[in-house]
Amino acid sequence: MKIKSALLGALAGAALFGMPLQAAEMTKSDVEQIVRDYLLNHPEILVEMSNNLRAKQESMQAQNDKSLVQAHAKALFASKADPQTGNPDGSLTIVEFFDYNCGYCKRAHPLVAELLKKDKDIRYIYKQFPILTETSYYAARVALAVQLSDPSRYMALHEKLIGFNGPLNDEAQVQKLAKEAGVNWDKVKATLSDPRIDQSISQNRALAEALGVSGTPAFIVGDQILRGAPRDLASLEEVVKEARNDG
């Protein structure tokens, strides 16, 4: 629509300068030159076209994401292997794919904590998605072992790992933080060989791939997918509001 209007405007402008506009007399180069001159004199049209294209692409992405979430709803929202917090009966569910060595995940964590403190109607699910380092994978396995052996200690461990300032460099560091969180390390060691742990992580990786999630953090908020960390609490709350309105 805008291109057609621009072309008509360009041709009309050409007419004012006495240029012949008979279709039979105009070559492709003539038309291209007229449009080029018009756009150079009216660059705001290009900005408008770019904005319209971006809005259309975002709308198409949102619709595609909604279909993906619906197709994988059971794996996202009904897995018994995933740790949860918030209100188990909340009207809105948020799922987070994260890595304990992800700096953006660490930055997003206080925003999530503040959101859950303010909004008591959210069920929150943690999906272990270790993709950065071998220590990320080890930390995820330890966290799931705690979830299996002593789920009441999971959040204390999660706070220690995600709140640690800097990367987790080795297994000894993870073990130290686990003990500081009050975890029974003997129970953890006995549970680390449970096949359900590696199975859960593998399933999360396959699910992330199916959803087009390739990095951390990523959030499924209702039927929307937020790839990357929110800028601030207000932007996260806006996503929550939109998800509730769509629902």
Side-chain angles (χ1 to χ4, degrees):
M1 292 289 194
K2 294 296 181 184
I3 294 176
K4 182 179 179 181
S5 297
L7 179 57
L8 290 175
L11 294 175
L16 293 177
F17 291 99
M19 294 180 63
L21 297 182
Q22 288 82 357
E25 298 178 9
M26 293 185 68
T27 66
K28 179 173 178 289
S29 295
D30 291 333
V31 174
E32 289 176 347
Q33 186 61 47
I34 292 172
V35 173
R36 179 181 182 279
D37 291 343
Y38 184 83
L39 292 177
L40 285 174
N41 289 320
H42 300 84
E44 67 279 1
I45 289 178
L46 298 176
V47 176
E48 186 176 354
M49 289 168 61
S50 177
N51 291 340
N52 288 344
L53 175 61
R54 184 170 60 252
K56 184 176 181 180
Q57 289 173 332
E58 290 175 352
S59 177
M60 291 174 63
Q61 180 70 64
Q63 287 302 316
N64 184 57
D65 285 348
K66 185 177 293 189
S67 297
L68 287 173
V69 171
Q70 291 171 351
H72 298 282
K74 184 176 180 180
L76 279 167
F77 306 121
S79 172
K80 297 187 182 300
D82 297 322
Q84 300 184 26
T85 191
N87 183 352
D89 299 315
S91 63
L92 179 69
T93 297
I94 298 177
V95 178
E96 180 184 358
F97 287 82
F98 70 99
D99 182 310
Y100 281 121
N101 264 331
C102 167
Y104 293 104
C105 299
K106 292 177 182 290
R107 276 183 245 170
H109 176 65
L111 303 181
V112 170
E114 186 63 24
L115 174 69
L116 295 178
K117 183 179 177 181
K118 291 178 64 177
D119 192 327
K120 302 298 184 182
D121 197 25
I122 293 175
R123 174 189 175 217
Y124 202 91
I125 298 175
Y126 294 101
K127 290 279 189 186
Q128 301 284 347
F129 187 41
I131 57 175
L132 295 177
T133 69
E134 285 298 319
T135 311
S136 297
Y137 185 69
Y138 181 73
R141 294 184 72 248
V142 168
L144 289 174
V146 170
Q147 175 66 14
L148 286 172
S149 62
D150 189 4
S152 66
R153 302 307 304 167
Y154 173 80
M155 284 307 301
L157 174 63
H158 179 74
E159 292 290 339
K160 280 288 184 180
L161 294 175
I162 201 70
F164 183 74
N165 186 20
L168 300 168
N169 293 316
D170 52 38
E171 294 183 6
Q173 197 169 50
V174 175
Q175 293 172 20
K176 179 176 181 293
L177 291 171
K179 292 172 184 176
E180 289 177 2
V183 168
N184 184 324
W185 189 250
D186 289 335
K187 279 187 178 181
V188 172
K189 285 196 298 183
T191 312
L192 276 173
S193 59
D194 192 311
R196 289 177 293 178
I197 292 175
D198 288 331
Q199 182 182 33
S200 176
I201 293 174
S202 295
Q203 289 173 343
N204 286 348
R205 286 176 171 170
L207 179 58
E209 183 177 356
L211 294 170
V213 170
S214 58
T216 54
F219 303 86
I220 285 72
V221 185
D223 58 9
Q224 300 182 27
I225 302 178
L226 174 62
R227 297 172 177 85
R231 293 187 309 275
D232 48 33
L233 179 60
S235 62
L236 182 56
E237 288 178 322
E238 184 61 28
V239 175
V240 168
K241 181 180 178 181
E242 289 175 5
R244 283 194 167 120
N245 289 339
D246 287 345

